[in-house]
C-alpha cells in the first residue's frame, strides 16, 4: 500500500529566486520529496489581510508492505 506525504513551502514574493528554489528542491529531494507543482493558495499577510501566495508543493511516497 502506498501513502503520500505532502509539504507546502511558501515562496516569498521577492526573495524566492531560482537559486533559493533550487536549494530547497535539492535539500528536500535528499529527504525523498519530489516537486509536484507551484500552486496559489489563500493566506494572510503580516497585517491579517487575505492574499494569494505561491507555494511549492512537494510529495513523498512511502511504500508499506502488507
Amino acid at each position: 500500500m502506498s501513502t503520500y506525504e505532502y509539504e507546502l513551502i511558501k515562496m516569498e514574493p521577492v526573495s524566492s529566486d531560482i537559486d533559493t528554489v533550487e536549494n530547497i528542491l535539492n535539500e528536500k529531494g535528499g529527504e525523498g520529496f519530489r516537486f509536484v507543482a507551484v500552486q496559489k493558495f489563500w493566506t494572510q499577510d503580516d497585517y491579517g489581510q487575505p492574499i494569494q501566495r505561491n507555494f511549492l508543493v512537494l510529495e513523498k511516497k512511502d511504500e508499506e508492505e502488507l
Side-chain angles (χ1 to χ4, degrees):
M1 184 164 117
S2 297
T3 58
Y4 295 89
E5 176 183 346
Y6 291 91
E7 187 165 335
L8 301 175
I9 300 173
K10 180 172 62 172
M11 298 176 66
E12 297 299 330
V14 176
S15 63
S16 291
D17 61 359
I18 190 66
D19 292 329
T20 304
V21 172
E22 181 181 21
N23 288 337
I24 292 169
L25 293 177
N26 284 333
E27 178 184 319
K28 293 297 183 178
E31 297 173 16
F33 285 92
R34 71 178 186 93
F35 172 78
V36 175
V38 173
Q39 186 73 41
K40 283 190 181 289
F41 291 107
W42 283 100
T43 186
Q44 294 180 348
D45 64 9
D46 296 336
Y47 306 103
Q49 300 297 316
I51 60 170
Q52 280 191 322
R53 282 254 169 95
N54 289 327
F55 287 81
L56 287 173
V57 180
L58 306 177
E59 174 185 78
K60 182 177 179 182
K61 182 178 180 181
D62 292 324
E63 293 285 337
E64 295 179 14
E65 293 184 25
L66 296 177

